[in-house]
Amino acid sequence: MLHNVKVVLVGTSHSGNIGSAARAMKVMGLTNLVLVDPQCSVDEQTMALASGAGEIAQNAKIVSSLDEAVSDCQLVVGSSARSRTLEWPMLEPRECGRKFVEEGESSPVALVFGRERTGLTNEELQKCHFHVCIPANPEYSSLNLAMAVQTLSYEVRMAYLEKERAAFPKAEIPEYSRHEEFEMLLQHIEKVIKLTGFINDGQPNKVMTKLRRLFSRARPEVQEINMLRGVLTSVEKMNKN
């Protein structure tokens, strides 16, 4: 199950942070590292700070976009400070760990971390089903990238060990849509509501952001996605007639 947990680092600019993140992962039994558009390479500094976890950094998958990194994931959680401008479903770290263990049994799941200085963009955060915020000291909440990876990886491991001890029963997890299927649904919705005149090409963003938030919160299952797309296709056919 732990191999199904992806740790996704977006736009990392310091090679040592890749090594430190790899070390944090290995300590907690995670091995699946994905680098999105890294601004540095895996080098000697990476290997020095990996301190025995160099194989995780060396075997990291490198992709150009977050969409590519999480396309096969049924659960995507972005690490973020609480935002007043972007309201989104939030998880506590402990809840996040348990959710990953439950859903990671059947499908890849992803923990997404942003750039060292600026974090994840609003667009990237909107691609996550949930955000998770580490409740650090409000007077000094400065966590570096490796610390954040370590903290959330620890919560995943603790939930995994708790499950191994059968402290809670195996949950019945629905077959949620993968990220790629979810994005195709949103593209289909945008196409149809433009076709019907509900929005025009000049102002789709606000409506689509709210719809994305609605469907992220609802987390439609595969059958529900297929049903919704069938309805949208029916609307398209009626407009052609």
Side-chain angles (χ1 to χ4, degrees):
M1 171 265 135
L2 291 176
H3 183 68
N4 269 344
V5 179
K6 294 184 182 184
V7 172
V8 180
L9 308 184
V10 178
T12 310
S13 58
H14 299 292
S15 62
N17 285 336
I18 297 174
S20 296
R23 181 178 182 179
M25 290 170 61
K26 186 169 183 177
V27 167
M28 295 302 155
L30 305 182
T31 58
N32 196 344
L33 178 62
V34 183
L35 305 177
V36 177
D37 189 27
Q39 303 302 298
C40 59
S41 58
V42 174
D43 57 17
E44 292 181 0
Q45 181 75 356
T46 307
M47 301 307 290
L49 290 179
S51 187
E55 75 280 2
I56 292 178
Q58 288 179 320
N59 294 331
K61 183 178 180 180
I62 300 175
V63 298
S64 60
S65 70
L66 181 56
D67 281 322
E68 186 179 354
V70 301
S71 63
D72 62 340
C73 295
Q74 88 170 18
L75 175 65
V76 182
V77 178
S79 176
S80 170
R82 291 186 184 272
S83 172
R84 295 181 181 178
T85 58
L86 182 65
E87 295 181 6
W88 214 258
M90 297 291 301
L91 294 174
E92 295 297 328
R94 193 132 303 172
E95 184 184 9
C96 177
R98 183 165 179 164
K99 209 166 191 61
F100 267 59
V101 170
E102 290 172 349
E103 300 197 25
E105 287 282 354
S106 58
S107 170
V109 291
L111 265 174
V112 183
F113 298 86
R115 300 155 190 83
E116 290 95 334
R117 291 179 60 83
T118 58
L120 295 166
T121 66
N122 279 353
E123 182 180 356
E124 289 162 346
L125 285 167
Q126 288 175 26
K127 294 183 183 297
C128 303
H129 295 106
F130 299 94
H131 299 166
V132 59
C133 177
I134 298 170
N137 177 5
E139 296 178 4
Y140 187 73
S141 58
S142 178
L143 282 169
N144 65 31
L145 178 59
M147 288 176 180
V149 172
Q150 183 77 80
T151 300
L152 295 179
S153 297
Y154 169 82
E155 293 295 349
V156 172
R157 183 162 188 82
M158 290 303 98
Y160 171 75
L161 292 176
E162 187 179 358
K163 183 177 183 300
E164 288 292 287
R165 291 191 296 265
F168 54 86
K170 183 176 180 180
E172 292 293 328
I173 302 299
E175 186 184 359
Y176 291 121
S177 63
R178 304 295 190 264
H179 174 79
E180 186 175 29
E181 296 161 338
F182 182 74
E183 290 296 318
M184 290 173 66
L185 170 66
L186 290 173
Q187 291 166 16
H188 201 168
I189 290 172
E190 182 172 357
K191 177 184 175 183
V192 170
I193 60 179
K194 283 181 180 178
L195 182 67
T196 61
F198 183 74
I199 60 173
N200 58 51
D201 289 335
Q203 54 179 26
N205 288 344
K206 190 171 183 180
V207 171
M208 289 309 302
T209 295
K210 289 185 175 180
L211 285 173
R212 179 181 286 275
R213 185 173 62 192
L214 166 65
F215 283 106
S216 290
R217 186 169 63 243
R219 297 196 66 200
E221 299 171 19
V222 170
Q223 288 184 337
E224 294 168 335
I225 290 271
N226 293 338
M227 179 182 67
L228 287 169
R229 295 203 64 186
V231 171
L232 293 168
T233 300
S234 179
V235 172
E236 287 179 299
K237 288 179 179 177
M238 286 183 66
N239 272 268
K240 288 179 181 178
N241 296 335

